[in-house]
Amino acid sequence: MPTILETQGLSRSFHGFHAVSNVNLSVQEGSIHALIGPNGAGKTTCFNLLTRFIDATAGRIQFQGQDITRTPADAVARLGLVRSFQISAVFGQLSVFENVRLAVQRRRGHSMDWWRSDKALAVYDERTHELLAEASLSEWARHLAGELPYGRKRALELATTLALEPRVLLLDEPMAGMGAEDIAQAAALIRQAARGRTVLMVEHNLSVVADLCDRITVLARGEVLAEGDYATVSKDPRVVEAYLGHGHAGQRKHHTVAEPSHG
Ligand SMILES: Nc1ncnc2c1ncn2[C@@H]1O[C@H](COP(=O)(O)OP(=O)(O)O)[C@@H](O)[C@H]1O
Ligand SMILES: [Mg+2]
């Protein structure tokens, strides 16, 4: 599989603190790739660097063979490297359908489209229905977004992100705050969203990672500690140490399932 997203020596410091340090990341096209690591490892900072929310102190980023190290964030998103919740906002007073159609319109339409009649907006309906189906939201289409249960609201956010037609979808802790039932649904959604796309996700739930991801990069203290498939990475003593050395599972909210105890 060809590499779609790659970093070389990617680094970012904040006032001398090395949040991300010399990271070489290689994401294969069509894969689901996980970025894991203890809290403060630099995962979100990596995402901020990749989406160009913040500048790198050193290193390079290549997306689809193009150097995007200095490309503005909005241009990177238009190229197809899109983070969930980046541009998508959910409007509680609009229906689920209207929210998704607005996102489709924003991607495809003209800037003055917003005042158009429903009839004129009908050109976006087909793609809107496809996205609703992809996010398992078809039967929620007429509900107000503000009245959705938590898991469905996250699915709506995903649908509005998919409306931007990402080639690579970045998800930062997509299961955060979800119960077991929502997690199973969200995992199915991500698997569905990954068809014909590449997904790079930060996820603390290691059983989700084991189940969903083809390749895993482990970060600790800003550096890549290990990389490989789940079986390889979860057996790596440095990985086990990085997790266990960070406080036991259960004591911190985010670490309840992060301990590779069933590895
Ligand atoms: N804007 C910033 N200014 C200063 N320090 C930051 C900033 N953003 C992140 N950091 C620090 O960088 C480290 C990595 O943070 P982060 O990338 O959010 O970790 P993770 O997502 O892996 O939990 C943390 O110690 C955090 O406090
Ligand atoms: Mg984070």
Side-chain angles (χ1 to χ4, degrees):
M1 274 191 297
T3 300
I4 191 165
L5 178 65
E6 189 171 23
T7 70
Q8 284 143 10
L10 191 64
S11 306
R12 170 70 201 211
S13 13
F14 296 105
H15 311 288
F17 172 76
H18 300 293
V20 170
S21 202
N22 198 30
V23 166
N24 300 321
L25 187 69
S26 179
V27 178
Q28 306 308 110
E29 186 160 11
S31 67
I32 305 184
H33 193 124
L35 194 57
I36 69 168
N39 282 333
K43 305 179 297 293
T44 297
T45 305
C46 268
F47 271 23
N48 288 337
L49 289 167
L50 292 171
T51 51
R52 298 285 300 114
F53 281 22
I54 61 172
D55 287 329
T57 318
R60 286 172 17 133
I61 309 167
Q62 288 210 311
F63 176 58
Q64 300 183 116
Q66 182 180 341
D67 190 308
I68 58 158
T69 315
R70 296 288 162 215
T71 305
D74 59 341
V76 166
R78 260 183 277 114
L79 286 172
L81 180 56
V82 179
R83 180 181 191 157
S84 190
F85 327 123
Q86 179 172 339
I87 309 169
S88 61
V90 167
F91 301 101
Q93 297 308 312
L94 296 182
S95 72
V96 168
F97 182 87
E98 287 165 330
N99 266 282
V100 175
R101 189 172 62 181
L102 201 59
V104 172
Q105 186 186 336
R106 223 176 325 167
R107 164 75 193 198
R108 295 198 179 171
H110 310 290
S111 57
M112 290 305 283
D113 259 0
W114 55 268
W115 55 264
R116 286 201 186 183
S117 67
D118 260 14
K119 203 173 158 193
L121 289 176
V123 293
Y124 306 118
D125 286 3
E126 190 183 339
R127 183 65 184 137
T128 302
H129 282 300
E130 280 172 10
L131 289 165
L132 287 171
E134 206 178 333
S136 304
L137 282 171
S138 298
E139 66 264 47
W140 293 90
R142 290 170 187 282
H143 285 73
L144 288 184
E147 292 169 357
L148 291 179
Y150 185 76
R152 299 299 85 203
K153 205 170 283 177
R154 302 298 299 269
L156 175 56
E157 285 165 348
L158 184 63
T160 59
T161 305
L162 295 181
L164 304 175
E165 310 295 349
R167 297 289 307 278
V168 174
L169 177 63
L170 302 182
L171 303 168
D172 195 353
E173 302 191 31
M175 317 290 186
M178 288 187 180
E181 198 171 309
D182 281 344
I183 286 175
Q185 268 192 330
L189 275 187
I190 291 168
R191 200 188 295 280
Q192 165 82 23
R195 287 194 194 133
R197 295 189 187 87
T198 306
V199 174
L200 176 62
M201 61 189 287
V202 171
E203 183 48 57
H204 282 289
N205 186 326
L206 291 192
S207 64
V208 167
V209 169
D211 192 38
L212 221 51
C213 301
D214 307 300
R215 202 164 179 82
I216 299 161
T217 301
V218 186
L219 277 188
R221 286 175 232 96
E223 294 179 39
V224 175
L225 200 64
E227 195 175 298
D229 61 16
Y230 186 80
T232 309
V233 153
S234 62
K235 267 185 268 160
D236 190 312
R238 287 165 305 174
V239 175
V240 176
E241 206 269 313
Y243 273 101
L244 296 183
H246 221 79
H248 273 285
Q251 289 177 353
R252 306 157 89 115
K253 205 175 158 205
H254 275 320
H255 278 259
T256 48
V257 283
E259 196 175 7
S261 51
H262 310 292

